[in-house]
């Protein structure tokens, strides 16, 4: 099953909207193109890639204007292009691959981490420490594959047209050793350096803030350039990454992220705190 990219979600939303505007049920539309209700439902929910010819047939059935059909057909072609993450698909579960595919198209990323440095800001040695301390016993080769995957993910935030990245880190994550002293010093130094980039903001929630709404786990919120693409939230669970797109869940996650920004130190004070942590090691 292909990853649920932002483009695939956008296409699915369009197919459903045009079908409903045409007053057709899933069953009726499927019958017209010699398909099944379940197949059409998977297209609309971006669970299965839909080929361009099927998109053209469906939208023609729905009476959509030719220029809109042409744009949707092109979108269907684009969704079938393999992403950079495809060679790594065997390393991770589908939920995580789906999230990476969405992250790759996001224009704004907000990430709160309570126990580790955000993945997009980790150094190679820090990543190695995280992988070796994870729930699975990995060989050296498996660790290095995962290190390369994460470093490849990081390339977006320093690309020519990078997303806005807001990172909120609980101070406990910065105090928790991952690897030896040298690894942590290099990691803190890397955070200070990346915080200077115009698209990256780093805020630290001090221990003095006490128990707060984000203490339970990590949180991502992704935004996309196309207004047709709704926000996506993702939380980390013991079962892996869980992508949330229901309005109620998104409202809850957005409120939590807003709260975390208010209890965190300002970017300037956060920089000072990172410097203090470096000097204290």
């Amino acid at each position: 099953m292909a990853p649920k990219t932002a483009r695939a979600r956008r296409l699915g939303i369009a197919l459903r909207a045009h079908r409903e505007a045409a007053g057709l049920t899933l069953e009726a539309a499927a019958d017209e193109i010699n398909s099944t209700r379940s197949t059409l439902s998977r297209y609309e929910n971006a669970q299965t890639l839909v080929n361009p010819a099927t998109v053209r047939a469906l939208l023609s059935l729905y009476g959509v204007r030719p220029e809109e059909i042409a744009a949707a057909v092109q979108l269907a072609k684009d969704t079938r292009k393999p992403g950079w993450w495809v060679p790594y698909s065997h390393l991770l579960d589908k939920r995580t691959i789906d999230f990476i595919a969405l992250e790759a198209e996001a224009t704004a990323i907000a990430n709160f981490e309570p126990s580790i440095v955000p993945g997009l800001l980790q150094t190679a040695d820090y990543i190695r420490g995280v992988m070796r301390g994870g729930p699975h016993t990995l060989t050296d080769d498996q660790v290095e594959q995962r290190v390369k995957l994460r470093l490849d993910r990081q390339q977006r935030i320093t690309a020519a047209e990078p997303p806005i990245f807001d990172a909120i880190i609980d101070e406990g994550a910065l105090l928790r050793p991952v690897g030896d002293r040298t690894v942590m010093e290099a990691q803190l130094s890397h955070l200070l350096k990346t915080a200077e980039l115009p698209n990256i903001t780093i805020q630290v929630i001090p221990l003095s803030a006490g128990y707060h709404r984000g203490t339970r786990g990590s949180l991502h919120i992704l935004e996309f350039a196309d207004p047709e693409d709704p926000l996506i939230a993702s939380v980390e669970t013991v079962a892996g990454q869980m992508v949330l797109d229901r309005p109620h869940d998104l409202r809850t996650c957005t409120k939590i992220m807003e709260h975390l920004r208010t209890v965190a130190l300002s970017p300037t004070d956060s920089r000072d705190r990172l410097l203090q942590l470096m000097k204290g090691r």
Side-chain angles (χ1 to χ4, degrees), residues 61-266:
L61 171 66
Y62 303 153
V64 177
R65 292 180 301 174
E67 58 269 26
E68 289 187 70
I69 293 177
V73 167
Q74 184 58 52
L75 186 57
K77 291 177 180 178
D78 292 342
T79 62
R80 302 178 77 83
K81 295 176 181 177
W84 66 263
W85 58 84
V86 170
Y88 299 107
S89 296
H90 66 287
L91 294 177
L92 304 170
D93 61 272
K94 186 182 182 302
R95 284 181 179 178
T96 303
I97 290 294
D98 278 348
F99 175 76
I100 290 173
L102 291 167
E103 179 189 77
E105 298 181 52
T107 53
I109 303 169
N111 177 204
F112 165 71
E113 292 293 344
S115 57
I116 59 172
V117 169
L120 291 178
L121 300 178
Q122 294 174 0
T123 65
D125 284 337
Y126 188 97
I127 298 168
R128 290 186 181 96
V130 170
M131 295 302 169
R132 291 186 175 123
H136 306 294
T137 301
L138 303 173
T139 66
D140 287 346
D141 183 58
Q142 289 172 328
V143 168
E144 292 307 313
Q145 286 180 308
R146 284 162 172 77
V147 170
K148 188 174 187 309
L149 165 60
R150 189 156 295 181
L151 293 178
D152 283 351
R153 283 175 68 182
Q154 293 178 8
Q155 289 184 18
R156 269 216 73 212
I157 63 172
T158 56
E161 296 182 6
I164 295 170
F165 181 45
D166 293 335
I168 305 175
I169 314 170
D170 194 281
E171 187 175 1
L174 303 174
L175 294 171
R176 178 173 293 103
V178 174
D180 58 24
R181 181 188 182 94
T182 303
V183 171
M184 289 305 297
E185 287 178 350
Q187 179 61 73
L188 291 170
S189 176
H190 182 66
L191 289 174
L192 286 164
K193 182 178 179 180
T194 52
E196 296 175 359
L197 296 174
N199 61 306
I200 296 178
T201 300
I202 296 177
Q203 290 181 263
V204 176
I205 297 180
L207 293 180
S208 59
Y211 187 86
H212 53 76
R213 294 183 190 176
T215 306
R216 295 182 181 181
S218 67
L219 172 64
H220 283 80
I221 295 179
L222 307 181
E223 296 180 40
F224 304 92
D226 196 306
E228 297 291 323
D229 293 332
L231 292 176
I232 282 291
S234 176
V235 295
E236 195 81 37
T237 72
V238 291
Q241 203 100 19
M242 182 175 292
V243 174
L244 308 172
D245 57 7
R246 295 179 179 179
H248 173 74
D249 293 332
L250 291 174
R251 283 194 297 271
T252 299
C253 290
T254 300
K255 286 181 180 178
I256 290 173
M257 193 67 81
E258 290 173 352
H259 170 76
L260 294 173
R261 287 192 176 99
T262 63
V263 298
L265 299 173
S266 69

Side-chain angles (χ1 to χ4, degrees), residues 1-51:
M1 189 178 291
K4 188 184 289 189
T5 64
R7 286 172 293 185
R9 289 174 59 246
R10 190 186 319 146
L11 181 58
I13 290 169
L15 290 175
R16 181 171 63 251
H18 285 305
R19 175 181 58 77
E20 291 174 346
L24 292 172
T25 64
L26 281 168
E27 292 86 348
D31 285 344
E32 289 291 336
I33 64 166
N34 296 317
S35 186
T36 65
R37 181 190 186 282
S38 61
T39 297
L40 196 53
S41 176
R42 288 197 297 273
Y43 291 157
E44 292 184 357
N45 288 296
Q47 294 173 335
T48 301
L49 290 181
V50 54
N51 66 60

